[in-house]
Amino acid sequence: MLLKTFVVNKNEEGQTIEKYVRRKLEDAPLSFIYKIFRKKDVKINSKRVGLKEIVKANDVVSVYMNEQQYEDFRNKDMVTSSDELVKYIVYEDENILVINKPAGLLVTRNVNNGVDANQLVKEYYFYTHPDADPSSFTIAPAHRIDRNTSGLLIFGKNILTMQKLLEIFKEHKEIEKHYLTIVNGVIKKPGVVDAPLLKDEETGIVKVSSIKEGAKTALSEYRPLEIIDNKYTLLDVKIITGRTHQIRVHMAYISHPVIGDPKYGNFKSNKDLEKRLKLYSQFLHSYEIKFNIQEGELKYLNDVKLIAPLSDKQNEMIEILRKGDSKYE
């Protein structure tokens, strides 16, 4: 039998020993994982432990298995490194990394082909941490934005930070998120949309519904920034809750759909904008995040405001709309 030992690093502390071992033995079936725990073949600092024991930095984890099992089950992912991400980075410290994700880039792919934001971030992480253990927790997205929505995307660099960020994005009490969007029609005054949302899991379509039917509370505040050509309005939208497609559905619900939106938009207007702007999806950009964290290890981020500017292409679209239709007659 082989006694394989691992030392828990700071990035990995705070998770259960079960998750820790499963990450180290990524290709091991669950039956094997549960078996070694039943047989008391897993120890922390020489003490036998159960599945839910929490690991801390510098803990020594020991696992009994034979040599062949270790070779078969260990994490063998090839690690590549790249600084391609640098041009997208908005903010970075020891706990978080924030990028300005371009429209069209998925946060995480379901299959291992093509490029996604998560892959670019991990490649950058290994570029800046060449000695990092690929089988340990490295970095992961703390939330999601749609593929064709651009803007601020936050990644956590360690388990404890991730746990806090996931809580923040779930509760939306310690974070303020603002989006820039252009909608059809003229909006002259600020307003609030308080309309519960229900997602059809089969189609992916979200609609306004009732709490009784299973919809979840959804609240959006909007503020007009500019009326463009008396046809469109540039809005600042602050989301109080974080539901799937929330801004897109809420704006369509009040008869001011986001321009270019292929699911909930004004399809006649979208066709025109395809020709004029080469806009093939929603104009929606997560441009500002402000933290309001009063306690804990991320308290230092309290009152920190992150800004992601619009892309050159997005600014060009706004300029074209400002010029009106005469250019295209």
Side-chain angles (χ1 to χ4, degrees), residues 57-114:
N58 300 318
D59 278 348
V60 177
V61 175
S62 306
V63 183
Y64 287 93
M65 69 189 87
N66 64 50
E67 187 77 43
Q68 189 59 52
Q69 286 172 328
Y70 179 64
E71 286 303 312
D72 289 344
F73 297 156
R74 69 186 178 88
N75 187 321
K76 297 183 284 292
D77 284 346
M78 294 295 292
V79 176
T80 58
S81 65
S82 167
D83 64 350
E84 176 68 18
L85 185 80
V86 170
K87 59 188 176 184
Y88 300 127
I89 295 176
V90 173
Y91 175 87
E92 183 178 13
D93 64 27
E94 64 178 0
N95 293 314
I96 69 171
L97 172 68
V98 186
I99 68 169
N100 183 0
K101 185 188 82 67
L105 183 67
L106 279 170
V107 175
T108 303
R109 288 183 179 269
N110 293 325
V111 291
N112 295 321
N113 63 334

Side-chain angles (χ1 to χ4, degrees), residues 179-245:
Y179 287 74
L180 286 177
T181 187
I182 300 175
V183 299
N184 284 278
V186 173
I187 298 178
K188 295 182 178 181
K189 297 180 180 180
V192 176
V193 183
D194 184 356
L197 298 178
L198 179 65
K199 181 180 179 180
D200 186 317
E201 297 299 335
E202 292 186 5
T203 65
I205 299 294
V206 179
K207 65 178 181 179
V208 173
S209 187
S210 68
I211 299 293
K212 290 181 179 179
E213 293 179 342
K216 296 181 179 179
T217 301
L219 189 64
S220 305
E221 298 178 357
Y222 59 86
R223 178 171 58 92
L225 301 176
E226 180 184 354
I227 294 172
I228 304 174
D229 193 31
N230 211 37
K231 292 182 179 179
Y232 311 100
T233 306
L234 176 65
L235 291 179
D236 171 299
V237 183
K238 175 184 173 182
I239 57 172
I240 311 302
T241 54
R243 309 303 180 197
T244 301
H245 299 172

Side-chain angles (χ1 to χ4, degrees), residues 1-2 95 132 218 230 245 292 310:
M1 292 289 285
L2 171 72
N95 293 314
N230 211 37
H245 299 172
N292 181 30
L310 291 169

Side-chain angles (χ1 to χ4, degrees), residues 114-175:
V115 177
D116 56 71
N118 190 45
Q119 177 186 334
L120 288 176
V121 168
K122 286 192 173 183
E123 289 177 356
Y124 170 77
Y125 183 87
F126 286 110
Y127 178 82
T128 54
H129 299 76
D131 297 326
D133 179 0
S135 68
S136 69
F137 180 92
T138 50
I139 192 165
H143 61 117
R144 298 286 191 272
I145 56 177
D146 292 339
R147 175 178 187 164
N148 290 309
T149 296
S150 57
L152 294 168
L153 181 62
I154 301 177
F155 289 76
K157 289 185 173 182
N158 55 69
I159 292 293
L160 293 179
T161 294
M162 278 297 295
Q163 290 172 343
K164 179 61 176 178
L165 289 174
L166 290 172
E167 176 189 332
I168 288 173
F169 280 101
K170 180 180 180 181
E171 300 296 331
H172 272 257
K173 293 178 180 178
E174 296 177 290
I175 194 168

Side-chain angles (χ1 to χ4, degrees), residues 251-262:
M251 291 300 104
Y253 178 66
I254 63 171
S255 300
H256 291 287
V258 174
I259 65 169
D261 191 334

